[in-house]
């Protein structure tokens, strides 16, 4: 290795030489060789290499360059120092975080003014890049994505002008991170795929994480998991932990895993996110339990835990992004729905606001929760089935036009947490094709009672399930078990299903609720479909058993018939259902 033969003033020459040397020479040795030259330029190059590769000489070189009588050396060192300090402030959070970030932005602005007075060289441009990148991070920490992207893009432009391969790779990785944080999923995926084709990559582990996260947002669960699984096999230490942490978080979000073991701790450079895994663990524990007896009380308790965790997530000083706030509101709303607290659910959903267009997973879930609420008897008067349906139609139509998106994946996600909404989308006129499988959740009752394609239910237990599906509170009534102790208990077990690593207690959907939603429309096609749904699936099981709630079922059937024949409006049905309960 002949470091003396390298043109240290040329970014292209030096960085190409560095990439070649790093294949067979330890970075510490390269740093030592550069220090041995003793010039200002060599010390700056030594600091840059030490930063790139995190060598033991970094702290010493940082102090030296900060105190040299060389503006470029000072500002290169300051850029690295501010970048690392911004990460620490982000981790600490707290009420004074924004003031501290503003102070550092001021220091970087001063750096740019100093550099503007120095003759232009490759090293000067590298110093400017080194100021633009931490500035982008500071704006990112404040969720000012527009400014962040401008600085990261300018850094990439400058890196391409000096043709420094490492500088280009580093700035490209930073730009990918900014787009990922801003929720620009398609841009993130396109840039990450392009990055994979490059001969030299900088921070590629973070780029792979950004790629996987974007695929999750688009509903492409299998490809996202494959990306992270591959990453865990290629890295170790904190990089492997980051990949496994994201796997755990997303498995929990999709309700298929992440239930067991400790939640991975927050690592340097990351925003706190373990609370999201804890929230989804509560959701999974709740949905593993039936709405019956003591288990119903435990189910309600788990949903209450979810609501409390979501409240804590928004405490002052905790740093969370807009999409995380939307997640918290959706989770709280869904938990309130699970507890029958419909007004509270409406309040949480109203506070979500407009979810960014490319966050398809949260758009589907928030609209799904809204549709579930609109299909209840106690929904607020301005909560429209048509509005929620239109929103979901639009999302799935957009998904079909996105290269990396998966409509079947998003339909599965919707079905996991909002099966009634998914069933409605499958049975409405011009249904969402990706949700077709959700039809099997609708109870088919009459002389024979069947749900989930192959679960045949005893009449009395089917009566019980219909009433529960219509939000009747039966927690104090166990007579269906007493009248059919063997068959009902066996069938109860058959309603449990393994979804990935998680047990789910499948909740049958009543055709009455679907028909009610269809009849809130003013279009004849919807009214015809409502009649077809009721005719195909029925309202109540046929039974001669002395079930205590059989009178309630008869009243439900009469009310539905009156609705279909035009003697009762949808609002009238909702009011009647509340009276019967």
């Amino acid at each position: 290795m002949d470091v003396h033969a390298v043109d240290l003033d040329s970014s292209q020459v030096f960085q190409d030489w560095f990439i070649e040397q790093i294949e067979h020479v330890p970075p510490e040795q390269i740093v030592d060789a550069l220090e041995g030259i003793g010039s200002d330029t060599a010390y700056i190059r030594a600091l840059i290499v030490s930063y790139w590769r995190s060598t033991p000489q970094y702290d010493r070189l940082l102090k030296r360059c900060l105190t040299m009588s060389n503006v470029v050396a000072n500002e290169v060192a300051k850029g690295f120092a501010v970048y690392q300090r911004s990460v620490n402030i982000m981790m600490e959070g707290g009420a004074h975080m924004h003031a501290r970030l503003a102070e550092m932005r001021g220091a970087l602005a001063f750096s740019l003014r100093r550099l503007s007075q120095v003759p232009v060289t490759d090293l000067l441009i590298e110093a400017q890049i080194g100021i633009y990148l931490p500035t982008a991070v500071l704006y990112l920490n404040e969720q000012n994505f527009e400014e962040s992207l401008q600085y990261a893009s300018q850094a990439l432009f400058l890196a391409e002008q000096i043709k420094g391969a490492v500088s280009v790779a580093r700035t490209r990785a930073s730009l990918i991170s900014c787009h990922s944080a801003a929720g620009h999923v398609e841009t993130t995926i396109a840039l990450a795929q392009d990055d994979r084709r490059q001969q030299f990559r900088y921070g590629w582990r973070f780029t792979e994480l950004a790629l996987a996260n974007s695929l999750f947002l688009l509903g492409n669960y299998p490809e996202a998991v494959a990306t992270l699984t591959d990453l865990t096999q290629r890295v170790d230490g904190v990089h492997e932990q980051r990949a496994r942490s994201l796997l755990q978080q997303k498995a929990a979000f999709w309700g298929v895993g992440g239930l067991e073991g400790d939640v991975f701790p927050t690592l340097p450079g990351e925003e706190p996110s373990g609370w999201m895994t804890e929230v989804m663990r509560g959701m999974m524990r709740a949905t593993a339990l039936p709405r019956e007896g003591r288990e119903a009380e435990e189910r309600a308790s788990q949903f209450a835990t979810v609501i409390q965790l979501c409240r804590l997530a928004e405490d002052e000083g905790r740093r969370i992004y807009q999409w995380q706030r939307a997640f918290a509101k959706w989770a709280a709303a869904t938990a309130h729905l699970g507890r029958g607290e419909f007004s509270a659910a409406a309040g949480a959903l109203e506070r979500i606001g407009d979810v960014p267009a490319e966050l398809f997973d949260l758009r589907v879930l928030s609209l799904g929760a809204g549709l579930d609420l609109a299909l209840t008897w106690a929904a607020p008067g301005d909560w429209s089935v048509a509005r929620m349906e239109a929103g979901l139609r639009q999302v799935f139509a957009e998904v079909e036009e996105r290269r990396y998106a998966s409509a079947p994946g998003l339909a599965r996600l919707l079905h996991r947490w909002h099966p009634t909404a998914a069933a409605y989308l499958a049975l409405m006129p011009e249904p969402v094709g990706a949700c077709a499988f959700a039809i099997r959740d609708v109870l088919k009752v009459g002389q024979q009672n069947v749900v989930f394609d192959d679960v045949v239910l005893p009449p009395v237990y089917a009566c019980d399930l219909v009433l529960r599906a219509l939000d009747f509170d039966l927690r104090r009534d166990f007579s269906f078990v007493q009248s059919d102790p063997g068959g009902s208990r066996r069938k109860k077990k058959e309603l449990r299903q393994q979804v990935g690593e998680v047990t789910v207690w499948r909740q049958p959907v009543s055709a009455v609720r679907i028909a009610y939603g269809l009849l809130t429309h003013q279009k004849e096609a919807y009214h015809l479909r409502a009649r077809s749904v009721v005719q195909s699936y029925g309202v109540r099981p046929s039974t001669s058993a002395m079930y205590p709630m059989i009178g309630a079922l008869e009243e439900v059937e009469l009310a539905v018939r009156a609705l279909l024949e035009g003697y009762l409006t949808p609002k009238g049905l909702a009011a009647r259902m509340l009276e019967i309960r």
Side-chain angles (χ1 to χ4, degrees):
M1 180 183 68
D2 186 6
V3 70
H4 295 276
V6 182
D7 182 0
L8 300 183
D9 292 317
S10 169
S11 297
Q12 181 178 4
V13 171
F14 176 76
Q15 293 184 23
D16 285 347
W17 173 84
F18 167 77
I19 292 172
E20 179 183 339
Q21 295 299 312
I22 206 67
E23 293 294 327
H24 52 83
V25 179
E28 296 86 350
Q29 187 176 333
I30 297 175
V31 172
D32 287 339
L34 288 166
E35 275 196 279
I37 296 176
S39 67
D40 284 3
T41 300
Y43 276 118
I44 296 170
R45 289 295 181 198
L47 173 63
I48 291 172
V49 171
S50 186
Y51 176 82
W52 285 345
R53 293 295 173 167
S54 303
T55 72
Q57 304 102 314
Y58 175 75
D59 288 338
R60 173 170 50 79
L61 286 166
L62 182 70
K63 292 176 182 177
R64 184 179 186 95
C65 288
L66 282 171
T67 56
M68 287 170 59
S69 58
N70 183 302
V71 173
V72 173
N74 300 160
E75 303 312 330
V76 166
K78 186 191 292 183
F80 292 152
V82 170
Y83 189 95
Q84 293 182 316
R85 192 175 301 174
S86 68
V87 169
N88 292 334
I89 290 176
M90 179 185 73
M91 288 287 295
E92 294 168 6
H96 301 293
M97 180 182 75
H98 295 296
R100 296 173 68 190
L101 294 176
E103 290 171 6
M104 285 190 290
R105 278 206 312 276
L108 293 177
F110 176 71
S111 296
L112 290 175
R113 286 198 298 272
R114 288 190 74 196
L115 290 171
S116 69
Q117 300 170 12
V118 177
V120 177
T121 64
D122 279 11
L123 265 179
L124 174 104
I125 294 175
E126 285 192 55
Q128 289 177 321
I129 291 170
I131 299 301
Y132 285 139
L133 291 182
T135 303
V137 171
L138 293 175
Y139 278 116
L140 198 62
N141 289 345
E142 293 193 320
Q143 301 182 43
N144 188 335
F145 301 122
E146 183 177 354
E147 290 286 344
S148 178
L149 286 166
Q150 286 180 6
Y151 277 97
S153 298
Q154 177 66 7
L156 179 57
F157 171 77
L158 292 176
E160 290 173 339
Q161 297 310 299
I162 59 175
K163 300 179 181 178
V166 181
S167 294
V168 169
R170 182 183 173 218
T171 54
R172 184 172 56 236
S174 180
L175 183 60
I176 291 170
S177 294
C178 291
H179 277 295
S180 177
H184 301 162
V185 291
E186 284 199 300
T187 301
T188 299
I189 293 172
L191 289 173
Q193 297 283 22
D194 180 64
D195 190 64
R196 283 179 161 184
R197 292 188 285 269
Q198 305 303 315
Q199 290 185 335
F200 181 80
R201 302 177 71 191
Y202 188 101
W204 62 271
R205 300 164 186 84
F206 292 101
T207 297
E208 292 297 304
L209 289 173
L211 171 61
N213 188 61
S214 294
L215 290 168
F216 279 125
L217 298 179
L218 289 170
N220 199 332
Y221 189 86
E223 191 170 341
V225 169
T227 300
L228 289 177
T229 302
D230 177 66
L231 182 59
T232 62
Q233 296 169 353
R234 298 165 61 193
V235 298
D236 54 19
V238 294
H239 297 298
E240 181 183 6
Q241 184 174 327
R242 284 190 176 95
R244 294 195 182 280
S245 177
L246 186 57
L247 272 171
Q248 180 189 64
Q249 181 191 123
K250 293 303 183 179
F253 182 60
W254 284 66
V256 297
L259 188 56
E260 304 299 331
D262 294 334
V263 174
F264 285 98
T266 302
L267 292 168
E270 296 179 346
E271 68 277 3
S273 59
W275 65 273
M276 299 175 68
T277 302
E278 294 288 6
V279 164
M280 297 313 301
R281 284 183 168 188
M283 296 274 280
M284 288 186 285
R285 293 187 184 107
T287 54
L289 299 167
R291 298 166 62 179
E292 301 172 16
R294 293 179 181 176
E295 290 169 305
E297 295 176 5
E298 174 61 20
R299 175 187 173 91
S301 176
Q302 291 293 343
F303 279 134
T305 299
V306 168
I307 295 166
Q308 180 63 18
L309 287 170
C310 290
R311 286 175 182 158
L312 291 174
E314 297 197 78
D315 280 354
E316 183 179 358
R318 172 169 280 188
R319 176 182 177 277
I320 61 175
Y321 285 119
Q322 177 190 0
W323 69 269
Q324 290 174 312
R325 293 187 190 281
F327 161 82
K329 297 303 182 189
W330 161 76
T334 302
H336 281 303
L337 285 171
R339 289 173 56 84
E341 298 164 349
F342 303 118
S343 294
L349 289 172
E350 286 170 350
R351 290 192 295 275
I352 288 179
D354 294 328
V355 179
E358 292 190 88
L359 303 187
F360 287 96
D361 56 351
L362 279 176
R363 286 175 67 193
V364 161
L365 290 177
S366 60
L367 288 165
L371 181 53
D372 269 359
L373 175 59
L375 291 170
T376 66
W377 318 123
D382 60 345
W383 213 263
S384 164
V385 171
R387 179 162 57 91
M388 295 300 144
E389 175 194 320
L392 284 162
R393 282 187 185 277
Q394 180 179 342
V395 172
F396 279 102
E398 291 175 22
V399 166
E400 295 295 342
E401 299 175 357
R402 301 295 180 116
R403 179 179 175 185
Y404 304 101
S406 170
L410 290 170
R412 289 286 176 187
L413 179 63
L414 173 66
H415 177 261
R416 175 63 176 91
W417 302 116
H418 302 289
T420 301
Y424 177 88
L425 294 182
L427 285 169
M428 66 184 181
E430 300 180 28
V432 173
C435 293
F437 67 93
I439 291 175
R440 62 195 300 272
D441 288 20
V442 182
L443 265 165
K444 192 170 187 178
V445 295
Q447 294 300 320
Q448 188 179 43
N449 310 294
V450 182
V451 70
F452 307 123
D453 290 341
D454 56 1
V455 179
V456 180
L457 300 167
V460 178
Y461 190 34
C463 290
D464 186 274
L465 290 174
V466 167
L467 288 172
R468 293 184 192 280
L470 297 175
D471 293 331
F472 281 69
D473 186 356
L474 306 180
R475 283 179 291 179
R476 295 180 298 277
D477 196 329
F478 300 94
S479 55
F480 77 91
V481 174
Q482 296 166 7
S483 61
D484 185 18
S488 293
R489 284 177 178 154
R490 284 194 299 273
K491 293 303 179 182
K492 179 178 176 179
K493 292 180 180 179
E494 289 186 33
L495 295 180
R496 296 186 186 275
Q497 182 185 41
Q498 194 72 14
V499 178
E501 304 169 5
V502 179
T503 299
V504 178
W505 195 82
R506 296 178 289 179
Q507 293 189 56
V509 176
S510 170
V512 172
R513 198 180 294 284
I514 305 298
Y516 164 72
L518 293 170
L519 287 165
T520 61
H521 284 265
Q522 302 301 315
K523 299 177 181 178
E524 182 63 21
Y526 280 80
H527 295 187
L528 291 173
R529 182 58 55 87
R531 293 184 179 88
S532 174
V533 167
V534 171
Q535 184 177 4
S536 299
Y537 291 93
V539 175
R540 72 178 184 92
S542 298
T543 179
S544 57
M546 296 301 293
Y547 180 50
M549 297 293 289
I550 200 71
L553 272 171
E554 290 172 349
E555 289 189 61
V556 168
E557 186 172 34
L558 288 173
V560 171
R561 298 300 175 194
L563 175 67
L564 292 174
E565 292 169 10
Y567 298 115
L568 202 61
T569 65
K571 286 186 178 180
L573 175 68
R576 186 74 187 102
M577 295 296 287
L578 292 172
E579 291 174 5
I580 298 170
R581 291 171 59 199

